[in-house]
Amino acid sequence: MEKIGILTGGGDCPGLNPVIRAVVRKSLLEGYEVLGIKNGWKGLVENDTLPLSVNTVSGILPRGGTILGTSRTNPYKKEEDLKKVKDNFKKMGLYALVAVGGEDTLGVASKLTSDGIPNIVGVPKTIDNDLSATDYTFGFDTALNVATECIDRLHTTAESHHRIIVAEVMGRHAGWIAIEAGIAGGADVVLIPEIPIDVEEVCNIIKKRHERGKTFSIVVVAEGAQFKDKGLVTQEQKLDSFGHVRLGGIGEALANEIEKRTGYETRVSVFGHIQRGGSPTAFDRVLGTRFGVKAVELIKDKKFGRMVALQGIKIIDVPLSDAVKALKTVDMELYDIAKVFFG
Ligand code: F6P
């Protein structure tokens, strides 16, 4: 019986467990055995595995996170780790590997396909929705719904106390969560990494809103948004093994500026990892399930070095390298729609 390995890497997100379940169920139907690899690429470096059966994946569909665990390990950082990955792939007796991840995990998968492990297929995940070649990644819809609910909740306090509340959302260098949660939550200003922040303009929008009788405002800011004349606001400068800084803090900096310039009481709320937790929405469960089934079909058809993707309403496959070529940033048509409601 041929054996398929599966790993989940990078930040966890709702929808990973539905993918694992789908890969296992479809593989067993097709006559493959499935081996779970724990904690992303770290599990391949350390030969840390979890055999997966129909019973292991029973009941995981509505659960957030990943039963396999995850890490931000980059095996390309150390030559000895890369060697271990290749050796352990053989030791585990794997025929093929399903790599479930975002830009970083799939970047490693893409490199490996031309560097000793050709039989890999990719499944795109991330709450940031910033992967090219797929219209949506699973995890995004859940994060968007959580952020929207949080904005709804902030409205009541902002209105009752006549405050401005700045809501900082995740999304790294793309403003997808900010723009869509801003539209869905009725934000009065939305600030995204794609457009530098002009504080004067933000304050003018708020002042005008107050002049027409409103006594509160909700400002949504993406963690990766930047002031016109300054760089990224970060929690710490240390880079992770893929070279990313830890973002966060722009909300606080912006709230201080707004309060100083407008004189209105301004508070900040950072949604943080709440956006990544909890049960996946039905959309993410269905998308994860469709991706998982398609990934096994790709293996069956020997279509390696490819990634499953959603384009329109169809699940298709694209070269893994296409997915990680460029960051998918917010469509300016969507930004223009959000702008109609500013102020
Ligand atoms: O990529 C998903 C994401 O949640 C980003 O939106 C955020 O910048 C980052 O991961 C946070 O990473 P960590 O959980 O490692 O702090």
Side-chain angles (χ1 to χ4, degrees):
M1 212 188 237
E2 278 167 333
K3 204 191 285 178
I4 295 178
I6 175 168
L7 62 81
T8 55
D12 73 319
C13 80
L16 287 166
N17 284 328
V19 176
I20 297 168
R21 170 178 173 267
V23 166
V24 170
R25 296 292 297 259
K26 177 69 177 166
S27 295
L28 297 179
L29 271 185
E30 297 295 344
Y32 296 110
E33 198 181 316
V34 190
L35 185 66
I37 295 159
K38 286 164 90 177
N39 305 319
W41 296 113
K42 191 163 186 262
L44 260 176
V45 174
E46 296 175 353
N47 198 354
D48 191 5
T49 59
L50 175 76
L52 295 173
S53 67
V54 72
N55 283 342
T56 339
V57 296
S58 168
I60 68 171
L61 179 66
R63 277 169 58 189
T66 159
I67 59 162
L68 292 175
T70 185
S71 74
R72 294 197 190 278
T73 301
N74 180 358
Y76 276 92
K77 276 302 250 192
K78 286 191 206 149
E79 215 157 287
E80 68 253 40
D81 282 356
L82 190 59
K83 186 172 178 313
K84 282 181 194 159
V85 164
K86 293 176 188 174
D87 290 349
N88 284 331
F89 185 87
K90 282 196 198 120
K91 263 192 215 154
M92 289 175 194
L94 296 179
Y95 165 64
L97 176 70
V98 179
V100 189
E103 190 202 350
D104 300 332
T105 306
L106 297 180
V108 170
S110 177
K111 273 196 213 163
L112 278 172
T113 55
S114 48
D115 187 20
I117 309 185
N119 293 6
I120 303 183
V121 297
V123 175
K125 71 90 227 192
T126 167
I127 63 162
D128 305 336
N129 201 36
D130 59 357
L131 277 177
S132 293
T134 185
D135 290 346
Y136 284 101
T137 49
F138 63 84
F140 171 68
D141 186 64
T142 308
L144 169 61
N145 277 282
V146 172
T148 302
E149 191 195 333
C150 291
I151 294 170
D152 287 348
R153 288 175 186 271
L154 289 180
H155 262 100
T156 54
T157 302
E159 190 164 12
S160 306
H161 285 262
H162 317 295
R163 286 175 181 161
I164 295 166
I165 301 189
V166 174
E168 180 185 302
V169 301
M170 280 187 166
R172 207 159 249 163
H173 304 294
W176 290 104
I177 299 177
I179 205 74
E180 294 212 8
I183 293 172
D188 305 304
V189 181
V190 183
L191 301 163
I192 55 175
E194 290 79 354
I195 298 176
I197 303 172
D198 181 335
V199 188
E200 209 44 51
E201 196 186 318
V202 172
C203 292
N204 285 340
I205 294 172
I206 293 169
K207 280 187 205 150
K208 271 201 199 126
R209 192 177 139 78
H210 285 232
E211 277 160 24
R212 74 170 164 91
K214 301 305 278 187
T215 62
F216 72 96
S217 295
I218 299 287
V219 177
V220 172
V221 62
E223 61 179 0
Q226 304 181 43
F227 291 120
K228 250 183 176 167
D229 44 356
K230 292 185 195 136
L232 283 168
V233 181
T234 59
Q235 291 184 49
E236 55 174 57
Q237 278 306 321
K238 217 177 85 197
L239 304 181
D240 71 13
S241 75
F242 286 95
H244 301 297
V245 284
R246 184 126 69 90
L247 295 172
I250 182 69
E252 185 77 43
L254 181 67
N256 289 339
E257 280 297 323
I258 294 175
E259 185 166 287
K260 201 166 72 192
R261 293 175 190 228
T262 63
Y264 303 132
E265 184 181 7
T266 308
R267 298 292 179 90
V268 59
S269 179
V270 180
F271 298 169
H273 290 93
I274 303 278
Q275 295 159 99
R276 246 168 55 190
S279 186
T281 57
F283 181 89
D284 281 339
R285 294 181 200 190
V286 174
L287 186 59
T289 299
R290 293 176 78 195
F291 277 171
V293 168
K294 177 76 176 180
V296 178
E297 282 169 4
L298 291 184
I299 292 173
K300 201 179 144 205
D301 296 342
K302 297 188 171 29
K303 289 175 90 177
F304 298 118
R306 316 240 352 138
M307 182 191 83
V308 299
L310 177 72
Q311 283 183 12
I313 56 166
K314 292 275 177 225
I315 304 291
I316 54 143
D317 56 277
V318 296
L320 254 175
S321 50
D322 279 10
V324 294
K325 222 166 24 200
L327 209 64
K328 184 182 70 190
T329 52
V330 167
D331 180 349
M332 285 303 120
E333 279 180 27
L334 196 57
Y335 178 72
D336 287 340
I337 290 172
K339 255 179 102 175
V340 170
F341 303 92
F342 284 10

